[in-house]
Amino acid sequence: MATFEKKVEKYIEEQQLVEAGDRLLIACSGGIDSMGLLHFFIHFQKHWKVELYVAHVDHMLRGEVSYEDRQFVEQFCKDRNIPVFSTSIPIPELLAKEGGNSQAVCRRERYAFFAEIMKQHQINKLVTAHHADDQLETMLMSLTRAGSVNGFKGISSKRPFTVGTVIRPFLKVTKEEIGKYLMEKGGTFREDASNLKDDYTRNRFRHHIIPLMKKENHQVAIHAAELAQNLQQDDEYLNELAKSRFSSVVENIGERFVLHIDRLQKEPLALQRRIILILLNYLYHHSDAKNFAISREILELCKSQEGNATIHLPDQYVANRSYGIITFFQRKTSEGEQYPCSIEMGEWNVFNGFRVYIGKLPEDAGIQQNEAVVYYCNSNTIAFPLKVRIRKEGDRIRLKGMFEPKRISRLFIDEKIPLIERDTWPILVDSNDEILAVLGVRVNDHFSKKKRADDDMVMIVEKSSL
């Protein structure tokens, strides 16, 4: 018993899972693992100076038997004056109504209940009884589904939760060790008969694959826990490196992200993968298994800088490779719907990644970046009002020093504007539809970067940010 407690206590201290004053919510099903967890924290409650609470969810999948589990946990806590929060959730009704995977629905509802209890009672940590055997099962299941490091690094010792933090103090001990500890404590538990069935993937691994591995080496679950911890530590370090390199490889321009292929290729492959995953997290605001599959496609796209290529991503996102860069943006239902737009004189106007100010230069025009470019002109040479539109067939612009107007299509090629961006690029025109500027690219011969004697108007163009 002492060896078990010391092992868990050491792990808790190494991972900094518990601090004096913590309010802990023990997730307790009544099974052998969670009852072992509850006994452990009852024993160490005074040592760590923590407050204990217990939460139990009856999923109503086993009728009267599952309700008896609830009563068992409630009575155990009542006998020891531990506050307990329990509920019954009609999972069969939810499954009949919305379908889906029963384990996933159970988990969703269970954790929603835990979060609500923590919020109501200012509880800062949720404690679960995941152990080394769970870790081994999780790693093998992830390896079966896909070959990502993120999946293979398994369950973490702690992670942020909707409210507070989830901690898992038993990850370095096996189910067998927990069972022996509970028996030595004279504890009792409830057996969930569904754990004996092969209906669920985890149960099939637990009943058929793990026993074969333990025949080869009884310590295989402990080895898996140690491997997972090492992978998590390495991954955390590499992710921090990738974050520090991200801004030198990827630019955020308005609602678009631009990835420079040559810069990415200079990074180690381990950082390349993670930089792309960081980018996908910006696009989708979450990290999941789909992002790993998408990242492989993007890495393939980065293997060449020759020619144009496009891949279509989930949620209307597009990745377009052109001129050594990949532009990521979300395609609108109707690309040109927002144009034409009127220019408000004397105010900042925002168009597809650019801020434009036209008027008299105020004392503080609010220039945000060093990339802002200032142009001067004489207002008598321009027909007002002004507007911004997208390109049209046959568009031409009169450039300083050129005898003939230049075709906009040719200008886009010369300036290496990605093909997929050309149809939505903002073009400034006057009331006669004469092109005054292709924003962020070139201006016509009415404008000069140096102020001339008769210039009385200024135009400032700069990149906008999200």
Side-chain angles (χ1 to χ4, degrees):
M1 186 189 303
T3 302
F4 176 89
E5 290 178 343
K6 285 182 180 179
K7 186 185 295 187
V8 176
E9 184 181 7
K10 181 181 178 182
Y11 183 69
I12 289 173
E13 291 172 353
E14 285 176 351
Q15 300 296 311
Q16 299 179 335
L17 301 184
V18 177
E19 297 176 354
D22 277 344
R23 295 162 66 86
L24 307 180
L25 182 66
I26 311 293
C28 184
S29 66
I32 191 168
D33 305 332
S34 60
M35 290 305 296
L37 181 71
L38 186 49
H39 275 279
F40 176 86
F41 274 99
I42 290 172
H43 179 74
F44 278 90
Q45 180 177 6
K46 291 183 179 178
H47 172 75
W48 275 314
K49 299 177 183 177
V50 296
E51 295 181 39
L52 294 186
Y53 303 84
V54 171
H56 174 86
V57 175
D58 169 16
H59 299 111
M60 303 177 72
L61 289 169
R62 294 175 290 118
E64 187 64 27
V65 174
S66 61
Y67 184 70
E68 289 172 359
D69 292 347
R70 175 178 176 176
Q71 292 178 311
F72 168 77
V73 174
E74 289 173 342
Q75 189 61 49
F76 179 91
C77 294
K78 182 180 178 180
D79 292 343
R80 292 159 181 80
N81 295 316
I82 301 172
V84 59
F85 307 98
S86 59
T87 189
S88 295
I89 300 176
I91 297 298
E93 291 182 20
L94 291 175
L95 290 172
K97 182 179 179 180
E98 62 184 62
N101 178 281
S102 62
Q103 284 192 315
V105 174
C106 285
R107 187 183 189 282
R108 182 193 71 195
E109 297 299 318
R110 183 169 65 249
Y111 276 80
F113 174 69
F114 296 156
E116 184 61 30
I117 294 301
M118 292 174 71
K119 183 178 180 181
Q120 289 178 4
H121 299 275
Q122 293 79 51
I123 298 171
N124 64 316
K125 289 178 182 175
L126 173 65
V127 192
T128 68
H130 292 93
H131 46 70
D133 292 87
D134 291 324
Q135 186 72 284
L136 176 59
E137 292 163 9
T138 299
M139 294 171 73
L140 292 175
M141 288 164 63
S142 296
L143 183 62
T144 304
R145 288 193 296 264
S148 70
V149 172
N150 197 54
F152 200 60
K153 65 186 184 182
I155 308 167
S156 59
S157 62
K158 58 184 174 183
R159 68 170 177 83
F161 188 44
T162 310
V163 181
T165 308
V166 178
I167 63 171
R168 289 127 175 173
F170 276 5
L171 281 180
K172 276 293 189 72
V173 293
T174 64
K175 187 178 186 69
E176 182 181 357
E177 289 177 296
I178 297 170
K180 287 181 179 178
Y181 174 71
L182 183 61
M183 294 303 102
E184 289 173 1
K185 282 283 189 180
T188 56
F189 63 94
R190 296 278 296 179
E191 186 65 62
D192 185 344
S194 65
N195 289 334
L196 303 176
K197 299 178 182 179
D198 280 350
D199 296 352
Y200 304 118
T201 303
R202 184 176 291 276
N203 283 0
R204 292 194 291 275
F205 274 85
R206 183 174 296 168
H207 299 155
H208 305 291
I209 297 174
I210 305 300
L212 291 176
M213 299 180 73
K214 286 191 173 183
K215 280 185 179 179
E216 295 296 324
N217 189 329
H218 191 66
Q219 294 295 307
V220 65
I222 297 299
H223 295 166
E226 292 171 351
L227 173 60
Q229 185 174 327
N230 290 338
L231 287 174
Q232 290 165 16
Q233 292 167 347
D234 292 351
D235 191 53
E236 183 179 355
Y237 175 69
L238 289 170
N239 282 334
E240 289 302 314
L241 280 181
K243 288 176 184 177
S244 69
R245 301 297 303 147
F246 181 80
S247 60
S248 65
V249 175
V250 180
E251 290 183 273
N252 178 199
I253 303 174
E255 296 182 352
R256 301 180 176 216
F257 288 88
V258 175
L259 184 152
H260 296 265
I261 297 175
D262 58 340
R263 300 178 195 175
L264 181 74
Q265 290 176 339
K266 291 177 182 177
E267 302 293 340
L269 191 57
L271 294 190
Q272 289 183 34
R273 290 194 295 266
R274 287 168 173 81
I275 286 171
I276 290 173
L277 286 172
I278 292 170
L279 170 59
L280 291 174
N281 289 343
Y282 274 115
L283 296 182
Y284 297 111
H285 307 292
H286 62 76
S287 175
D288 59 23
K290 290 181 182 178
N291 283 2
F292 287 89
I294 296 169
S295 68
R296 287 195 291 269
E297 291 187 58
I298 295 171
L299 278 173
E300 284 297 316
L301 198 62
C302 291
K303 287 184 177 179
S304 173
Q305 298 188 48
E306 299 298 322
N308 298 313
T310 299
I311 57 176
H312 295 273
L313 308 177
D315 298 339
Q316 299 288 316
Y317 277 100
V318 173
N320 172 254
R321 186 189 71 212
S322 181
Y323 299 113
I325 65 172
I326 299 178
T327 304
F328 296 80
F329 64 95
Q330 193 170 29
R331 188 181 291 279
K332 303 292 189 295
T333 304
S334 179
E335 287 286 5
E337 196 173 79
Q338 61 176 313
Y339 297 113
C341 294
S342 298
I343 285 282
E344 296 294 332
M345 303 298 292
E347 297 181 9
W348 282 102
N349 301 261
V350 179
F351 303 104
N352 198 15
F354 294 98
R355 297 174 77 236
V356 183
Y357 175 94
I358 301 177
K360 292 184 178 180
L361 181 63
E363 292 183 5
D364 180 8
I367 300 175
Q368 292 184 337
Q369 305 176 21
N370 294 329
E371 299 170 4
V373 182
V374 180
Y375 302 96
Y376 301 92
C377 73
N378 186 321
S379 58
N380 293 326
T381 64
I382 294 175
F384 294 92
L386 309 182
K387 63 183 179 181
V388 169
R389 62 168 173 79
I390 56 176
R391 70 169 176 167
K392 297 190 297 188
E393 186 68 30
D395 269 346
R396 295 173 181 267
I397 184 172
R398 300 186 66 89
L399 298 177
K400 188 175 182 180
M402 293 189 66
F403 181 72
E404 293 290 337
K406 184 165 186 172
R407 286 181 290 119
I408 295 296
S409 57
R410 184 71 246 174
L411 179 68
F412 280 147
I413 294 172
D414 292 345
E415 296 293 334
K416 297 185 177 180
I417 303 300
L419 181 65
I420 202 163
E421 297 186 32
R422 296 173 192 173
D423 287 336
T424 57
W425 201 275
I427 295 174
L428 177 68
V429 298
D430 67 10
S431 61
N432 297 323
D433 208 35
E434 179 183 358
I435 294 178
L436 303 179
V438 178
L439 295 181
V441 181
R442 296 291 295 273
V443 295
N444 77 357
D445 55 7
H446 292 312
F447 293 88
S448 170
K449 286 187 178 181
K450 291 184 178 180
K451 190 176 184 303
R452 297 159 297 193
D454 58 351
D455 288 335
D456 61 356
M457 190 174 77
V458 66
M459 177 170 71
I460 307 170
V461 181
E462 67 180 20
K463 292 180 179 179
S464 68
S465 58
L466 286 176

